[in-house]
Amino acid sequence: MVPLMHAQLEKLNLKYPCRQQQIQQLSCLLSPLIPSPPSLIVHGTEATCKTSLVKHVLDSSALLHAIIPCKECITGRHLLERTISACLDALETASGQTIDRSRYIRTESLSVLTVHLQTLLSGTQNFVLVFDGVDEQREAPHTLLPALARLSEIIPNLVVVFIVSFARQRMLHTSGTPHIHFPSYTRSEAIQILSLTPPPIYPAEAELPANYTPAQHAEDANWLWPRFCAAIWDSLAKNTARDVLSFRSLADKLWPDFTASILEGVHHPREFSKILVARRALFQNEDTLIERVVPKPISSITRPSHDLPYYSKYLLCAAYLASHNPPRTDALHFSRFASAKRKRTRNPSSTLTSKSRATSTLTSTTSTTLTNPSTSRNRKIPRRLLAASPFPLERLLAIFHAIVPNKAPSTADVYIQVATLTGLRLLVRGGTTAGDVVEAGARWRVNVGWEYAVTVGRSVGFEMEEFVAE
């Protein structure tokens, strides 16, 4: 015999799909028609309808009950006082009379709680006391759960229900306590639950196309939404959004982008395969799994940036040049004589001579390439496309002092700035040597690309193109 009426069971089954077995178990154990067990454990992972289903079963059975959210209780005494307050609220609501609360103000221990509950529940029917999330109670002693379970032994008309995430073996130090398990929803169950409330394809502020009725709109939404949820589960939510709440949040986040082509008139709502191929990037990007308070700015090219000090930017440029320039070219690029010669103004005749020499060289190179095909195979790759080479710390400091326009002051501790760049992973220490970050025998590599180095150099007025070896 099922204590709840058939109509009430059907209503609960429609409200909580895929929980028929748990509804029947709760309706049998928490019933005013048959004796209830002194204590009951309801366990399962998050977002499995434990609390809401227990509350609705108790409301349907017309049993006096009080639900205490233990997560909101800061200390053990706060939990005890919250329990007495919830019991007083439930009794006042059932009787319609005001109860004098002055005698129940101080609830300092479980003994005082037992005395107060005996006074309140004397002469009443069965009363169900539900502790929701009691396993997450703060500052809870090891004897809290067994002591709360013993309340029903002292007060005969009291039933204590514990809602926990994981039921440990002999958690209440008693035997014969019934357990009701709420398993996680499977793929088909999660899709079935989300399919009960499909969102509209066209928002409320958007107008429907011509000859497209609201009935057709609702039918297409009911057809497209379950297939969209199945694609999300298989691609993203299977391993990262196992509960229904996070699954629903992820689906609602991706739904507007998925239906954008329908709003633009490119696809029909029934062309799910074409929409899936066109919007496949939505199911491959894992950034949607990150909950953000401020939406991420949309940009075509996203480049990393760091707010570095003035001399740290020069150090980073020097590190890039040390990693991509051969050591034999340092004297050519960074000596004072070479820089002065490079800045010297050329006369028109020398410019013309160099241009004619370059033209003749290009002509001879082209003819040689046409006659000798092996020349194209020996063409050199630009050094900026190659991997960064390691360099010693002394070479980095030498290049740094050569490219800085003015002498670095003594207050700019170069070694500390090298350690800072290492902490930001802009410089990487080569090898497996351990010890000090700025050890003299260590070798380093730059960990940034060409575009980033050019951006950092131009922020301080330093042109990288003039110092990079070809």
Side-chain angles (χ1 to χ4, degrees):
M1 179 183 72
V2 179
L4 289 182
M5 300 298 292
H6 183 71
Q8 295 175 338
L9 286 177
E10 290 295 332
K11 184 178 179 180
L12 288 175
N13 289 332
L14 292 176
K15 190 178 180 70
Y16 299 98
C18 310
R19 287 289 181 253
Q20 289 80 5
Q21 180 181 358
Q22 287 76 16
I23 292 174
Q24 292 181 1
Q25 292 174 349
L26 286 172
S27 63
C28 292
L29 295 175
L30 302 176
S31 172
L33 304 179
I34 59 177
S36 300
S39 58
L40 174 65
I41 296 178
V42 178
H43 62 100
T45 56
E46 295 183 358
T48 51
C49 296
K50 301 185 297 296
T51 304
S52 57
L53 188 53
V54 169
K55 182 179 183 301
H56 281 81
V57 168
L58 290 174
D59 293 338
S60 302
S61 62
L63 282 172
L64 294 177
H65 62 277
I67 300 177
I68 297 91
C70 299
K71 295 180 181 179
E72 301 176 3
C73 301
I74 302 175
T75 60
R77 180 173 178 177
H78 188 196
L79 173 65
L80 302 180
E81 294 180 352
R82 188 73 177 269
T83 302
I84 288 296
S85 178
C87 294
L88 289 171
D89 295 339
L91 293 174
E92 288 180 352
T93 303
S95 61
Q97 300 178 358
T98 303
I99 302 175
D100 185 15
R101 302 195 178 198
S102 58
R103 67 180 70 178
Y104 306 108
I105 293 178
R106 298 177 64 87
T107 308
E108 301 175 352
S109 61
L110 284 169
S111 301
V112 180
L113 175 66
T114 305
V115 174
H116 289 345
L117 289 179
Q118 283 179 328
T119 306
L120 286 174
L121 303 181
S122 60
T124 60
Q125 299 177 354
N126 288 345
F127 191 91
V128 181
L129 193 57
V130 181
F131 292 96
D132 183 20
V134 69
D135 55 338
E136 300 181 7
Q137 171 63 38
R138 302 177 183 177
E139 301 181 6
H142 298 289
T143 58
L144 177 63
L145 292 181
L148 293 176
R150 294 298 177 90
L151 291 176
S152 55
E153 297 180 3
I154 304 174
I155 307 172
N157 56 343
L158 178 64
V159 179
V160 183
V161 179
F162 300 96
I163 301 178
V164 296
S165 299
F166 176 73
R168 302 187 305 272
Q169 188 177 6
R170 296 183 61 83
M171 183 174 62
L172 304 180
H173 296 181
T174 57
S175 59
T177 304
H179 290 61
I180 298 179
H181 178 50
F182 281 70
S184 301
Y185 292 105
T186 60
R187 177 182 182 274
S188 58
E189 292 175 348
I191 295 174
Q192 178 185 351
I193 293 173
L194 265 65
S195 300
L196 298 177
T197 55
I201 299 176
Y202 292 87
E205 63 274 7
E207 297 182 358
L208 297 178
N211 300 327
Y212 192 67
T213 62
Q216 293 176 344
H217 178 215
E219 183 180 355
D220 290 341
N222 292 330
W223 183 89
L224 183 62
W225 175 253
R227 291 164 173 78
F228 170 71
C229 293
I232 289 182
W233 180 274
D234 296 335
S235 58
L236 296 174
K238 182 178 180 181
N239 298 317
T240 56
R242 299 295 298 271
D243 59 279
V244 178
L245 295 181
S246 57
F247 184 26
R248 179 73 193 208
S249 175
L250 181 60
D252 291 340
K253 189 186 302 183
L254 296 179
W255 178 252
D257 295 335
F258 184 77
T259 57
S261 59
I262 301 177
L263 300 180
E264 296 171 358
V266 180
H267 297 99
H268 190 268
R270 297 281 177 164
E271 298 176 345
F272 173 73
S273 300
K274 295 182 179 179
I275 301 175
L276 184 62
V277 173
R279 299 290 179 177
R280 61 181 178 271
L282 293 176
F283 306 95
Q284 299 172 353
N285 187 9
E286 296 182 356
D287 291 341
T288 55
L289 300 174
I290 303 174
E291 296 292 339
R292 302 179 185 272
V293 178
V294 180
K296 185 178 180 180
I298 301 175
S299 59
S300 57
I301 300 176
T302 57
R303 297 175 182 173
S305 61
H306 299 85
D307 189 10
L308 299 174
Y310 179 77
Y311 290 104
S312 295
K313 295 180 179 180
Y314 273 103
L315 269 175
L316 190 60
C317 295
Y320 185 89
L321 295 174
S323 287
H324 291 82
N325 281 4
R328 63 177 182 274
T329 62
D330 289 349
L332 175 63
H333 291 287
F334 306 115
S335 65
R336 298 296 180 183
F337 174 76
S339 60
K341 184 178 181 180
R342 184 166 47 249
K343 293 179 182 178
R344 188 179 302 163
T345 305
R346 298 177 180 178
N347 52 28
S349 59
S350 62
T351 305
L352 181 61
T353 306
S354 61
K355 288 184 178 181
S356 59
R357 188 185 302 111
T359 305
S360 60
T361 304
L362 179 62
T363 306
S364 60
T365 304
T366 305
S367 59
T368 305
T369 305
L370 293 176
T371 56
N372 190 6
S374 62
T375 307
S376 60
R377 290 196 296 266
N378 297 330
R379 189 175 300 160
K380 293 183 179 180
I381 301 176
R383 302 195 64 86
R384 68 185 66 173
L385 300 179
L386 300 177
S389 303
F391 55 87
L393 186 61
E394 293 81 0
R395 184 172 175 231
L396 170 65
L397 298 180
I399 296 177
F400 167 73
H401 289 292
I403 64 176
V404 171
N406 301 315
K407 184 179 180 181
S410 58
T411 56
D413 197 335
V414 180
Y415 292 99
I416 293 180
Q417 298 190 39
V418 170
T420 303
L421 295 177
T422 306
L424 295 175
R425 301 293 296 173
L426 299 178
L427 286 181
V428 180
R429 193 175 183 182
T432 58
T433 58
D436 190 7
V437 178
V438 291
E439 185 180 354
R443 297 181 68 83
W444 305 83
R445 287 185 298 105
V446 71
N447 198 29
V448 297
W450 166 252
E451 295 182 356
Y452 187 90
V454 170
T455 304
V456 172
R458 288 177 179 174
S459 64
V460 292
F462 178 73
E463 293 297 334
M464 295 282 294
E465 292 87 348
E466 297 181 4
F467 298 90
V468 176
E470 296 296 336

